[in-house]
């Protein structure tokens, strides 16, 4: 398998003494998935090591939220380690595109971004999380990206537990910072559909 491609790393203020970090990564392998551990490394903070995954051919953001730091967390870079590759064939999946589409029929709809109007107020995104797939999940993470033009301006995420097939559920995330000039909000559902442990038993 070809190595994971790490794109630009960005860091944002996340309230007093805290920062959020994001890096977009890409898996150039159409038939290999990867699990790994990752950590953002930079000046002024030691964020925790986190677990991550990426599906075949995907491009996705990796986040580390609420990093405690007394500086601007300058010069941050992403360190990916303990990469474990796995072929889709090992799961007896013959049509990965169809499998992916049917299992990841997840979305964030009715998205509304409300910026902070004055100092001390919260910026907020509300949306409806929908599971239109035939599968129920123990946990789905919804990553929220705010854009200013083509660049990411802020990141956040919310984990929704016990998200059943056909369910719609209201969700929201907040920032303790004003995020000005936002031109687009993107909701990115995330669940490792190659891990059997993510699926709930069907209701009888």
């Amino acid at each position: 398998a070809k190595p994971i491609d790490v794109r630009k790393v960005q860091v944002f203020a996340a309230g007093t003494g805290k920062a959020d970090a994001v890096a977009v990564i890409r898996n150039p392998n159409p038939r290999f998935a990867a699990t790994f551990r990752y950590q953002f490394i930079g000046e002024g903070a030691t964020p925790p090591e986190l677990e991550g995954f990426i599906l075949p051919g995907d491009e996705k953001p990796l986040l580390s939220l609420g990093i405690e730091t007394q500086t601007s967390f300058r010069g941050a870079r992403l360190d990916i380690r303990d990469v474990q590759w796995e072929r889709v064939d090992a799961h007896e999946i013959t049509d990965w595109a169809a499998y992916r589409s049917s299992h990841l029929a997840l979305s964030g709809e009715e998205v509304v971004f409300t910026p902070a109007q004055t100092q001390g107020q919260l910026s907020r995104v509300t949306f409806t999380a929908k599971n239109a797939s035939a599968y129920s999940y123990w946990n789905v993470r919804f990553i929220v990206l705010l854009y200013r033009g083509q660049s990411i301006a802020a990141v956040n995420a919310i984990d929704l537990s016990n998200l059943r097939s056909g369910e719609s559920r209201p969700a929201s995330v907040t920032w303790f910072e004003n995020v000005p000039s936002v031109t687009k909000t993107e909701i990115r559902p995330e669940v490792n559909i190659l891990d059997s442990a993510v699926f709930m038993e069907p209701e009888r």
Side-chain angles (χ1 to χ4, degrees):
K2 297 178 182 177
I4 295 170
D5 180 22
V6 179
R7 304 295 176 87
K8 183 179 180 181
V9 175
Q10 292 178 263
V11 177
F12 309 102
T16 304
K18 292 186 180 297
D20 295 331
V22 59
V24 176
I25 64 170
R26 185 178 70 91
N27 179 2
N29 303 284
R31 302 296 295 176
F32 283 91
T35 56
F36 50 83
R37 301 187 68 80
Y38 70 95
Q39 185 177 29
F40 288 89
I41 298 173
E43 296 179 33
T46 305
E49 185 180 70
L50 302 171
E51 294 184 355
F53 72 91
I54 189 166
L55 297 174
D58 269 12
E59 182 171 292
K60 60 177 281 187
L62 283 182
L63 310 183
S64 186
L65 302 176
I67 300 167
E68 294 187 5
T69 176
Q70 300 304 315
T71 69
S72 59
F73 195 46
R74 295 184 301 274
R77 63 180 178 84
L78 176 66
D79 182 34
I80 297 177
R81 56 184 78 113
D82 301 331
V83 180
Q84 302 292 322
W85 292 102
E86 183 179 35
R87 289 184 64 95
V88 173
D89 306 357
H91 295 269
E92 300 181 356
I93 299 170
T94 55
D95 188 339
W96 167 247
Y99 181 91
R100 187 187 191 285
S101 177
S102 64
H103 286 70
L104 288 180
L106 303 160
S107 62
E109 302 183 10
E110 301 162 355
V111 181
V112 176
F113 169 64
T114 305
Q117 299 299 317
T118 61
Q119 188 71 24
Q121 286 189 329
L122 301 176
S123 298
R124 183 185 303 272
V125 167
T126 59
F127 63 97
T128 300
K130 294 189 176 183
N131 179 3
S133 78
Y135 307 92
S136 299
Y137 295 100
W138 288 113
N139 187 83
V140 179
R141 167 164 274 206
F142 286 82
I143 295 174
V144 182
L145 304 172
L146 301 182
Y147 285 85
R148 187 177 300 120
Q150 298 299 311
S151 299
I152 297 174
V155 296
N156 214 324
I158 183 171
D159 292 297
L160 298 184
S161 60
N162 303 337
L163 190 62
R164 294 195 173 274
S165 172
E167 183 179 1
S168 295
R169 191 184 303 177
S172 67
V173 297
T174 57
W175 287 264
F176 293 97
E177 296 280 329
N178 183 29
V179 187
S181 307
V182 171
T183 57
K184 183 177 72 170
T185 303
E186 183 180 7
I187 310 294
R188 296 282 300 265
E190 180 179 84
V191 62
N192 187 357
I193 56 174
L194 292 175
D195 181 358
S196 60
V198 305
F199 298 101
M200 301 175 68
E201 292 290 332
E203 290 186 297
R204 298 186 184 278

